Amino acid sequence: MAKRERKYVMISTVAERFDIHPQTLRLYEREGLLEPTRSAGNTRLYDSATLDRLELILTLTRDMGVNLAGVEVILRLREQLDELRRRVEALEGRLQEDGEGSVTVRRNFSLVRVEGGPLVKP
C-alpha cells in the first residue's frame, strides 16, 4: 500500500478559508494550540489534522465563548482521553489474545493480601 501524501495549505489560504486574521493563527501557534509544519523556507504549512484542530478551537472560542486558557485545558483533556482510549483498546486486545475468561490477577496486584495456605473463614 502506497503512503498517502499529505496535502498542505499556506497560512493565507487558511486565514481566508476560516475567516480569521493570519496574526490570530500566529497567536494560536505561540500559545501552543497549533503546530503547523514548516517548509524549508520556514513558511507555515497546515495539514488536515491541524485544520481539524483549528476548527475545534474556533468552535470553542466563537460558538461557545471559551477563552484561550480554557481551550488549552480542553485540548489537553481530549489528548489525555484519546491516550486512555488507546491504552484500554490495547489492554482489551491483550485480554482477547490471552483468551477471555482466563484472566488471573497476580498476588501483588490483588485487592486483598493473600498469604500462602488455605483460606480460613472467620
Side-chain angles (χ1 to χ4, degrees):
M1 186 164 124
K3 283 187 178 181
R4 286 179 46 187
E5 277 191 41
R6 283 189 175 175
K7 294 185 180 181
Y8 295 97
V9 291
M10 293 176 39
I11 192 168
S12 58
T13 307
V14 174
E16 186 177 317
R17 176 176 167 191
F18 288 95
D19 192 28
I20 189 169
H21 197 281
Q23 283 294 354
T24 305
L25 292 168
R26 291 182 188 101
L27 170 68
Y28 291 168
E29 184 179 355
R30 278 194 309 275
E31 294 293 324
L33 300 175
L34 289 178
E35 294 181 33
T37 304
R38 297 289 185 135
S39 70
N42 209 27
T43 302
R44 289 172 176 85
L45 300 173
Y46 295 81
D47 63 3
S48 62
T50 306
L51 294 177
D52 290 343
R53 188 173 172 103
L54 173 61
E55 195 166 13
L56 175 61
I57 292 167
L58 294 175
T59 298
L60 290 170
T61 55
R62 290 176 176 173
D63 300 341
M64 302 178 88
V66 178
N67 65 21
L68 293 184
V71 169
E72 181 181 7
V73 170
I74 291 167
L75 292 175
R76 191 171 341 117
L77 288 172
R78 284 175 57 107
E79 289 167 0
Q80 290 173 353
L81 183 59
D82 288 343
E83 174 60 25
L84 288 173
R85 281 187 184 130
R86 283 190 292 275
R87 292 174 68 183
V88 167
E89 288 171 2
L91 286 172
E92 287 174 341
R94 285 177 46 199
L95 285 174
Q96 286 181 354
E97 287 173 7
D98 292 343
E100 291 185 48
S102 66
V103 177
T104 58
V105 177
R106 293 189 351 214
R107 285 187 179 198
N108 57 338
F109 292 127
S110 61
L111 297 176
V112 179
R113 185 179 183 106
V114 178
E115 299 295 331
L119 293 177
V120 180
K121 291 186 180 181

